[in-house]
Structure formats: structure tokens, C-alpha cells
Amino acid sequence: MAEEYYDPNDRPSGGAPADGSPTPLAGVPLKPAPPHPNGQPWSGPPARPAGNPYQQDEVPVMDGNAAPAPIPTAPAGADATDHVRIGLWGAPRSGKTSFLGALPIAAMQAQRHGQGSWRISGMSREANNFLNDSVTRLSTRRIFPEASVGLRSMSWSVQGEEPSPGGLRRRSRRASFVLDINDAAGEVFQANNPLHEEITDQLARAQGLIYLFDPLGDRESATESFNFFYATLNELNARVRDRRGHHDNRLPHHVSVCVAKFDHPALFEPAMRAGWVTQDSVGSRLPRVPAHLSARFFQWLCEDFRGATARMVRDGLATFFHPDRITYYATSAIGYRLNPQHIFDYNNYANVEEVEGRPRICTSPEPINVLEPLIDLERRIHAKPGLFGTKRSGQ
């Protein structure tokens, strides 16, 4: 008997299980979740792989006077099973850990930029430690997070409200969900890495993917994007095929392709000379690649700026995923250096300098297109099945 068709972006018919347990994949049975002592739905942390040093629990200091800690639960307003599974993918030194560390900073700055109000916090001690350390490094110490080693999975609570598009007089959209995301070393995406099978399985079960393409690292053989792209893409397609999870004969994931390090002069200057960059006339007068040009900008980047194997990355994305489910962004985890009046100055915009042989961030980070790819993925994942790009109505 053929297995039932499975699309990770669709909710199962009949609604989520009444006990709040995770929705099973087709053909993959799940053990029933243990009952919560208070009768509430179970929403404990995700399973942690054995043998991974980054998954070990910290040993808390026991204080007999402290109140007992409850099991982490979904944020208010979210269904207990409303987990958004996002896979983060990219070559070594493409900035994956910095991207994750910049997310809470971008969330706090969103309201100032008219992008709504967003709050991100960890669902476990380890996740909160990661957020605390990353924000401290980027904003206070002005250094980049240490490169990831191995693979770790985290769950974050995300709550927010974004304005209606175009300033329409409608209720803003509210979102409240648990984000399940991975932080993996780029080497994990090579076929011969011991953790390759595990990361591929995580990507296969994800509903959305954030793919970081680093055009500067791509010119070096050790970090060439295609070396960490095709083996993972090929195995990902095989995993989804074996579970009969293809949608219209392609991978069902929604994808945000993020061109990393857009603030770097080696990328910004050629993009500006080629006519892809515009500048805001108000506020901090930030340069940007307009949203309606972002897909063509990525095409130019692969065709003319990088060429060679970068074109294979572009073709692989277009072949294996639905073009209607891919969006593109020019991204920076730290943004531009701004003058004392907090305005972009073309004479001095590079936000990284060398101090004692190590890179140092010059001014407080102002992330560019870091929060937007995530929120757009969540919006598309929760859109009505079969309607690509349909936005969920405000709640």
C-alpha cells in the first residue's frame, strides 16, 4: 500500500493531535508524549542526538530555596504544536552563527524601523545562553561569535506583530510560534562528514530553509559554496523522495536565499556600480537592493560577479525547489558603519576593521535583512496550502 502524500508545509487533515504531540511524518511512527502533571499539552525540548558535545545539558546549581522550574511551553497565543522548523544551510565562514546571533538584535530594532514589534527568547537554558552570548559579543564587545563546531539544535520562542502591507487600514498580523533551528559548522554539509546524515535529516524535516550564499568566500576553494551545496541537495532530495514528500515533483520547502556580507566593500561596490543599489531618502538613508530586484540581483551575482560553480548553485536551487517558493535577500548581520548622527556616509561605511590581527565591529550592529527572511518564511509556511505566497490574515 502506497504511503500517504506528505508536504511538511501542510497541516494534517483533522487538525493537530488533541494531546499536543508532534505531527508524525508519513510512515514514521512517534511514541506518545508523556502526560504533563498539570494536564497541559507537552512541549518539551527537541530530541538531542547522542555523542554530540554541543547537546550536553548544563548541570544547574541546585538551590533548595528556589522555586521549581516548569517545563518550557509554547508562547502565549501559539498552539502547543505550532513549531516552525527552519534549516540553516551554508558553506564554512558564510556567517551562519553571526546570522543567528543577529536575529534578536534585529527583532529589538524592528519597531524603530517601522517593521512591527518582535521578541525572541530561548526555550531552554542552552538556547538562552546562546542568545545572551551572541548579543553581548556583537553589540557590546563588537566581535563576531565563535565559529560553530559540529551541530546543535535550538528552540526559540518568537512573538510579534507586523504592520499591514502598504499601510492598509487593517489589523496588523500577529504571530506566535516556536522556532526550531540548527546551528551547524559549514563542514557538516560535506558528504564525508560524520554529521552529514544528521544535518540532512534535519533539513528534510524542515518546513523552510535559509540558505546563506557568501559570494566572497565562494572565490576560495576551501569555502566554495558548491562544495557544501550539491551533496546536501542530492541527499535531501533522496530523503524527501523516499518519504514521498515531493510537492509537484519538487522539494516542498519554502526557501529564503540570503546573499551574505552585503556590507563588505568587496561586494557592495560592484553591486552599486552595476546599478542594483538604491538609497533611502529618509531615516538613516540606508542603501539596499529593492525587493523587486532581489531575484535578478542574485542572478547577476552568480552569472557575472562570481560565475563558475556559483551558477551551479543558482541552477540547483531553481531545479530542485519551486521558484514560487524562493525569495532572495541582500543580507548583513552587522550592517553599515553609521556616522554620529546615525546616518549612512559613503565616505566611511565599512563596519569591520582589523585590531591586533582580528576583525572588530566598528559601531553597534544594524542587521540588514536578517529578521525579514525568517518572518517571511513563517508567513508563507502558515499560508493556505497550495497558494504560494498567500499571506495569512491578521489575527
Side-chain angles (χ1 to χ4, degrees), residues 110-267:
Q111 190 167 13
R112 172 156 54 87
H113 296 299
Q115 298 171 338
S117 176
W118 295 93
R119 294 160 296 284
I120 297 176
S121 59
M123 294 291 291
S124 66
R125 182 189 299 269
E126 181 189 37
N128 272 323
N129 286 345
F130 174 87
L131 292 171
N132 294 339
D133 180 67
S134 299
V135 171
T136 299
R137 282 175 169 268
L138 289 169
S139 296
T140 304
R141 300 175 62 190
R142 295 184 185 171
I143 60 176
F144 291 95
E146 294 291 340
S148 297
V149 179
L151 169 64
R152 59 179 164 185
S153 300
M154 295 177 286
S155 292
W156 297 347
S157 162
V158 182
Q159 297 166 284
E161 183 174 310
E162 62 178 345
S164 299
L168 299 177
R169 299 185 64 182
R170 290 185 296 185
R171 292 182 61 187
S172 57
R173 186 183 76 96
R174 295 180 179 177
S176 185
F177 59 96
V178 175
L179 170 67
D180 296 326
I181 198 162
N182 59 273
D183 180 27
E187 291 80 6
V188 170
F189 296 101
Q190 283 187 311
N192 59 355
N193 190 281
L195 295 173
H196 181 73
E197 184 174 342
E198 184 179 330
I199 188 62
T200 305
D201 190 59
Q202 288 191 17
L203 297 185
R205 294 173 183 271
Q207 297 159 291
L209 302 175
I210 294 177
Y211 178 70
L212 285 182
F213 177 78
D214 176 12
L216 303 181
D218 188 70
R219 63 192 175 190
E220 302 174 17
S221 59
T223 54
E224 193 172 41
S225 298
F226 193 70
N227 294 336
F228 308 88
F229 176 77
Y230 181 71
T232 300
L233 181 65
N234 184 40
E235 182 65 23
L236 173 62
N237 186 64
R239 295 286 184 94
V240 175
R241 178 205 62 211
D242 292 345
R243 294 173 181 170
R244 304 196 178 184
H246 280 105
H247 181 80
D248 289 342
N249 227 20
R250 299 196 196 195
L251 291 169
H253 305 74
H254 293 278
V255 183
S256 288
V257 177
C258 296
V259 177
K261 305 176 184 177
F262 186 67
D263 62 289
H264 197 292
L267 174 58

